[in-house]
Amino acid sequence: MRRQPFPQSRLFCFATLLVAAAFSGCGDPGRQEAVAEARTVRVAMVERVVEPSVLTVAAVVRPNQRALMGTRQAGTVEAVMVRTGDRVEKNQALLRVDARDLEAVRAAAERQKEASRVAWEQARRTRERFERLHDDDLLAKIRLEEAKVRENEARAIFEKATAELEAAEVNVEYTVLRAPFAGIVSEVVAEVGSFVGPGPPLVILENREKLRIEASLDEESAAHIHRGDRIEVNFVASAETAKATVRGIVPAMVETGVGLRLQLILDNPPAHVLPGMVAEVLVPTARAGHVFFRVPRSAVLRRGQLSGVFVVEGDQAEETVARLRWIALQAGDGAENRVTVTSGLRENERVVVGESIREIRDGEPVVIRKDKEGPADG
């Protein structure tokens, strides 16, 4: 008995019913429930920052105090007590010149002072004795007046001898160079046995507890700087940065040049910054500053070499969704919990922060947690 073929019309109707049942089965409850349940996220506002425009000026680091010390007495260097790089205290002996001739002069002055003191004391006692005799009518008044004159002369001789001794002692003291302040020996020029005279420096001493920074400056830039301003300084050799205080702006004092000289004081210099180093002074100008934006570090999603954030679009009146937006970050940004964005964001936009950025999808509906909205620190 032959089997009757299945009619094509019935086959088409059966397939249509299967497709309709499949669409109706997978589209109703599950999908509608996923769309209805939006993800709750924390957001932070994009912060707008204006970086002042600056002019980079080359500068030189110098010690705040520097003493070029020489002797006022000619003679042979007898001893050098320090070496280059030594740290010394105030009044510490650094160098001594042969002072035997000056010591002899001082010894003679001491003897002269002692002899004049004895003569003055004897004249004083004579005057006192003549006063008693005159009171008893045993001595003429003229003799008393003569005794007073001799006492005054003896006192004058004693005072002169005292001054000469003091001068001799000062000359002896000048043969020893002493540190006028605590600091570091920058250079020792003289050697033991060399003959020296007044004028040329023998020892150079520097106080490096504070450093002075000097830079040439044009008049236009100088107009925006005032005494006491704090200016950023970069040190090329040590790759360190510090804030220095403006001491003043003075004429350049160069015969063949023009312009001004900016003087800065660095109160607490970094350990590796030394006199003679080159620095860069970031002088503020009147030009418009550079605008950029900051967001919490926890808002940034890293995918390979790319950086992005989820920006929340929409408001209460419409559906809010999170849109993935790629951004450019400032190179070398070392902020603790914020990053600097150079492009890709606008002021007052909202970005998603926290662990949810690793789970959220581009275009996914979101609900903002009202208690956490604001400039979160991530």
Side-chain angles (χ1 to χ4, degrees):
M1 183 174 181
R2 296 182 58 186
R3 180 177 295 179
Q4 295 294 329
F6 195 78
Q8 292 183 357
S9 59
R10 290 184 180 181
L11 179 63
F12 177 77
C13 292
F14 181 71
T16 302
L17 290 174
L18 288 177
V19 172
F23 271 102
S24 61
C26 67
D28 274 349
R31 185 172 184 275
Q32 292 176 0
E33 182 179 355
V35 172
E37 293 182 359
R39 188 186 302 272
T40 301
V41 296
R42 295 172 56 212
V43 300
M45 302 296 293
V46 175
E47 177 188 2
R48 181 176 182 268
V49 180
V50 180
E51 186 179 57
S53 177
V54 297
L55 174 67
T56 302
V57 179
V60 178
V61 180
R62 305 184 187 279
N64 185 41
Q65 284 183 295
R66 193 166 190 259
L68 308 178
M69 294 178 292
T71 179
R72 293 180 59 177
Q73 303 296 333
T76 303
V77 177
E78 189 176 63
V80 178
M81 296 84 141
V82 293
R83 294 179 297 180
T84 300
D86 287 351
R87 183 177 296 275
V88 298
E89 300 298 327
K90 184 177 181 180
N91 293 325
Q92 180 176 333
L94 310 177
L95 178 145
R96 184 173 67 250
V97 177
D98 183 11
R100 285 176 293 179
D101 54 342
L102 297 175
E103 289 286 358
V105 172
R106 180 174 65 176
E110 287 179 345
R111 290 191 295 270
Q112 181 64 32
K113 177 183 177 181
E114 179 62 19
S116 62
R117 185 192 65 79
V118 173
W120 179 29
E121 181 66 21
Q122 183 177 359
R124 183 183 62 80
R125 289 197 299 266
T126 301
R127 188 260 309 164
E128 292 176 349
R129 181 165 57 86
F130 281 12
E131 283 181 345
R132 289 193 299 270
L133 293 173
H134 178 268
D135 292 340
D136 294 337
D137 293 331
L138 299 175
L139 185 71
K141 185 176 181 180
I142 190 171
R143 297 291 300 277
L144 176 60
E145 295 297 333
E146 291 174 352
K148 290 181 179 180
V149 170
R150 286 192 295 269
E151 180 189 7
N152 291 336
E153 291 175 350
R155 184 178 62 182
I157 294 174
F158 171 76
E159 292 174 350
K160 179 182 178 182
T162 301
E164 290 176 350
L165 175 60
E166 291 175 354
E169 290 175 341
V170 169
N171 289 333
V172 172
E173 290 179 0
Y174 281 141
T175 62
V176 179
L177 295 187
R178 297 185 181 275
F181 50 80
I184 295 176
V185 178
S186 174
E187 186 176 0
V188 178
V189 180
E191 297 180 356
V192 175
S194 59
F195 183 84
V196 297
L202 305 179
V203 178
I204 301 176
L205 183 65
E206 296 178 349
N207 180 0
R208 300 176 183 175
E209 293 183 0
K210 295 182 180 180
L211 295 178
R212 187 173 75 252
I213 300 171
E214 295 185 354
S216 298
L217 199 63
D218 61 276
E219 296 181 8
E220 180 181 357
S221 300
H224 304 284
I225 300 176
H226 304 88
R227 183 181 178 90
D229 289 351
R230 301 277 289 171
I231 295 181
E232 186 173 348
V233 180
N234 297 328
F235 301 99
V236 179
S238 62
E240 296 183 88
T241 301
K243 288 279 190 178
T245 304
V246 176
R247 170 187 279 181
I249 299 175
V250 298
M253 302 298 290
V254 179
E255 295 180 0
T256 59
V258 295
L260 301 171
R261 187 170 73 251
L262 173 65
Q263 292 185 343
L264 305 169
I265 293 296
L266 190 60
D267 291 325
N268 298 303
H272 298 92
V273 177
L274 301 173
M277 287 186 173
V278 177
E280 294 179 342
V281 180
L282 305 184
V283 179
T285 67
R287 296 192 297 267
H290 176 62
V291 179
F292 55 89
F293 302 94
R294 285 201 180 110
V295 296
R297 191 178 294 275
S298 64
V300 180
L301 179 67
R302 307 280 186 173
R303 290 184 178 175
Q305 300 296 324
L306 299 178
S307 300
V309 295
F310 282 100
V311 179
V312 177
E313 298 179 351
D315 52 29
Q316 299 295 340
E318 59 185 16
E319 184 181 42
T320 55
V321 296
R323 297 292 183 185
L324 178 61
R325 188 182 301 174
W326 301 112
I327 59 175
L329 299 179
Q330 179 174 295
D333 193 342
E336 181 178 354
N337 52 18
R338 285 188 170 268
V339 294
T340 300
V341 180
T342 57
S343 64
L345 290 177
R346 297 185 299 272
E347 186 178 7
N348 293 328
E349 286 189 312
R350 297 170 295 179
V351 295
V352 179
V353 298
E355 292 297 328
S356 58
I357 65 172
R358 307 183 188 281
E359 304 172 357
I360 201 170
R361 299 188 304 274
D362 184 22
E364 181 179 344
V366 294
V367 175
I368 300 174
R369 290 177 58 177
K370 297 299 181 181
D371 58 331
K372 295 295 183 180
E373 184 175 359
D377 58 7

